[in-house]
Amino acid sequence: MTTTRILRGRQFFANPGPTNIPDSVLKAVAHVSIDFNDPAFLTVYDGVVAGLKRILKTRHDIFLYTGSGHAAWEAALVNVFSPGDALLIIETGHFSENWAKMAQDFGLEARTLPADWRRGADFAALRATLAADTAHAIKAVCAVQNETATGMELSIAETRAALDATGHPALLLVDTISSLGSLDFRMDEWGVDVAVAGSQKGLMLPTGLSFTGASPKAMAAHATSTLPKSYLKWSNMLTRRHKSFIGTVPTSLFYGLEESIRLLEEEGLDAVFARHARLAEAVRRCVRHWSGNNGPSLFCENPDRFSNSVTAVLMPEGHDAEAVRKIALNSFNVSLGSGLSRLGGKVFRIGHLGDLNEPMILGTLATVEASLRVAGVPHASGGVNAAIEYLAEAASG
Ligand SMILES: *Cc1c(COP(=O)(O)O)cnc(C)c1O
């Protein structure tokens, strides 16, 4: 007879989304019902919208939806395009593929700029593709800033530079769902026309709220867009007091968001990004150490593209990532991310974004190493020491 092991203590949640919710955000979310037109709520609401604009680094309109990141993906597409429009999606991995599939579902022509999932897209190829499109058939370039499935960042500044260098008028749509609040993002400076974001990753909230920033150029495209839309339609939203949300506003999430924005700004966005960079580097040093004895290795082969919010760890041939993940969860109460689509069973992912510090990272890495041992996966032992050395050095300044 097998008995289920009871695991005490806090679960170490090392998923790249959802992420840990800070205690003060949890308390803020536990708010009694309030009329969403109550002046007390409107003050909170307007403050949160202003805070989100500071985090997106934009002065443009933002539109919010009761729905996860997928709702904001859909809003970005249906609000600016018409049937048959062509988009160029820069391949990054699972999430770029799924955004492209969604575009196809809406009758859009989703062209892909192909890329190696371990090395990332080539900006020279992007420039060449845009330069070759002399008829300007491509209405938009779509980019995923942080590919959560592979642990790689795509430079939005370089994507913008490719559009500028070729004088191509395409809109720039950017998915910041797993980067906003963890990696630097500058909507206006980088000329992003639609920025797509969600609540449950770097913003440290429960799932269920997503939003898009929209530039004046995106609003102009919206005025002539003919894809069917209603609940997500920006011009419908603009007629309402909240300039967002058709229907009931999820008030409790706004109390949470008010607190998470306060936390991010109290620490300072640049300090938040530096903390993510530091913890990410500790994870990478540990994984590099493990790889020494034919062990698991970094999936990302291009150090210029390392993501500071998630690391995908590639298993040695013949070993199942899911087995390691199950041991970590069921024996040690550490929750890791699984491999997505074609990376299923091949990688596990360590999420290191949001409400996270050194002991949580060190505990997670030590436990993953214990799980590798239990699973009989070869590795160079003592990877956590490489992380300890790096974090100690960083703290000595
Ligand atoms: C999580 C994620 C999504 C999907 O968001 P949901 O909130 O799960 O709908 C899209 N893109 C990226 C890069 C993500 O990390």
Side-chain angles (χ1 to χ4, degrees):
M1 198 181 92
T2 54
T3 49
T4 317
R5 245 179 98 183
I6 308 279
L7 300 164
R8 299 287 182 212
R10 259 200 184 197
Q11 180 174 77
F12 273 34
F13 197 77
N15 270 288
T19 66
N20 294 289
I21 303 173
D23 291 351
S24 64
V25 173
L26 277 176
K27 284 185 191 134
V29 165
H31 195 282
V32 294
S33 290
I34 183 167
D35 184 326
F36 54 88
N37 286 310
D38 187 303
F41 176 69
L42 289 173
T43 303
V44 171
Y45 182 85
D46 292 342
V48 164
V49 170
L52 288 178
K53 288 186 187 189
R54 289 193 299 276
I55 291 171
L56 279 170
K57 297 184 179 155
T58 187
R59 291 143 59 119
H60 304 318
D61 288 334
I62 64 172
F63 298 97
L64 299 114
Y65 323 99
T66 307
S68 77
H70 279 76
W73 260 0
E74 181 162 328
L77 299 176
V78 298
N79 275 292
V80 299
F81 298 123
S82 300
D85 279 352
L87 342 171
L88 180 67
I89 301 202
I90 302 175
E91 183 175 5
T92 51
H94 172 84
F95 287 100
S96 70
E97 282 189 340
N98 280 283
W99 204 9
K101 274 188 203 130
M102 182 186 268
Q104 282 160 355
D105 286 345
F106 281 107
L108 300 171
E109 183 194 330
R111 303 181 188 175
T112 299
L113 181 83
D116 182 315
W117 284 21
R118 300 188 68 182
R119 300 211 54 86
D122 175 11
F123 288 104
L126 175 61
R127 274 196 302 280
T129 303
L130 292 172
D133 180 37
T134 50
H136 296 160
I138 296 169
K139 296 286 181 256
V141 170
C142 300
V144 176
Q145 186 187 14
N146 187 66
E147 174 52 73
T148 324
T150 62
M152 289 181 63
E153 184 178 2
L154 183 74
S155 165
I156 302 308
E158 282 194 59
T159 307
R160 174 80 258 165
L163 283 158
D164 291 347
T166 52
H168 199 292
L171 296 165
L172 176 56
L173 274 55
V174 179
D175 171 340
T176 74
I177 296 176
S178 67
S179 43
L180 193 71
S182 303
L183 315 179
D184 194 14
F185 179 73
R186 307 174 186 194
M187 178 166 173
D188 293 359
E189 187 183 323
W190 294 340
V192 174
D193 295 298
V194 184
V196 177
S199 58
Q200 81 276 20
K201 299 189 184 177
L203 297 180
M204 310 175 288
L205 270 125
T207 311
L209 186 79
S210 57
F211 52 99
T212 50
S215 75
K217 193 167 150 188
M219 294 309 293
H222 177 61
T224 58
S225 140
T226 61
L227 274 182
K229 50 193 160 288
S230 175
Y231 178 67
L232 300 173
K233 188 172 179 177
W234 294 343
S235 46
N236 284 353
M237 293 182 171
L238 285 174
T239 66
R240 299 172 62 88
R241 162 63 180 83
H242 299 77
K243 308 266 184 235
S244 272
F245 296 111
I246 309 298
T248 307
V249 178
T251 51
S252 54
L253 288 174
F254 279 83
Y255 287 99
L257 204 41
E258 180 182 50
E259 174 59 10
S260 66
I261 293 169
R262 191 194 69 74
L263 291 173
L264 288 170
E265 294 189 329
E266 177 185 56
E267 185 177 354
L269 279 182
D270 289 339
V272 171
F273 302 149
R275 173 168 53 83
H276 281 77
R278 191 168 71 242
L279 299 178
E281 180 60 21
V283 171
R284 292 189 290 261
R285 292 202 184 199
C286 175
V287 177
R288 277 208 201 90
H289 182 97
W290 288 335
S291 70
N293 186 23
N294 298 318
S297 56
L298 294 170
F299 180 77
C300 174
E301 290 182 316
N302 183 350
D304 292 339
R305 306 278 174 98
F306 283 145
S307 163
N308 285 335
S309 69
V310 53
T311 297
V313 181
L314 180 65
M315 295 296 287
E317 202 62 49
H319 292 274
D320 180 16
E322 281 308 289
V324 175
R325 229 173 58 79
K326 283 192 185 117
I327 291 164
L329 184 64
N330 299 327
S331 298
F332 301 120
N333 214 6
V334 169
S335 177
L336 302 166
S338 57
L340 298 176
S341 57
R342 74 168 90 140
L343 299 181
K346 296 194 164 65
V347 309
F348 62 85
R349 293 172 303 147
I350 301 174
H352 34 81
L353 73 166
D355 190 40
L356 210 65
N357 59 21
E358 280 79 356
M360 293 157 88
I361 282 291
L362 291 172
T364 296
L365 294 173
T367 308
V368 171
E369 186 167 324
S371 305
L372 293 173
R373 253 177 213 254
V374 176
V377 177
H379 62 282
S381 65
V384 74
N385 287 326
I388 290 170
E389 278 165 26
Y390 174 74
L391 292 173
E393 193 185 295
S396 317

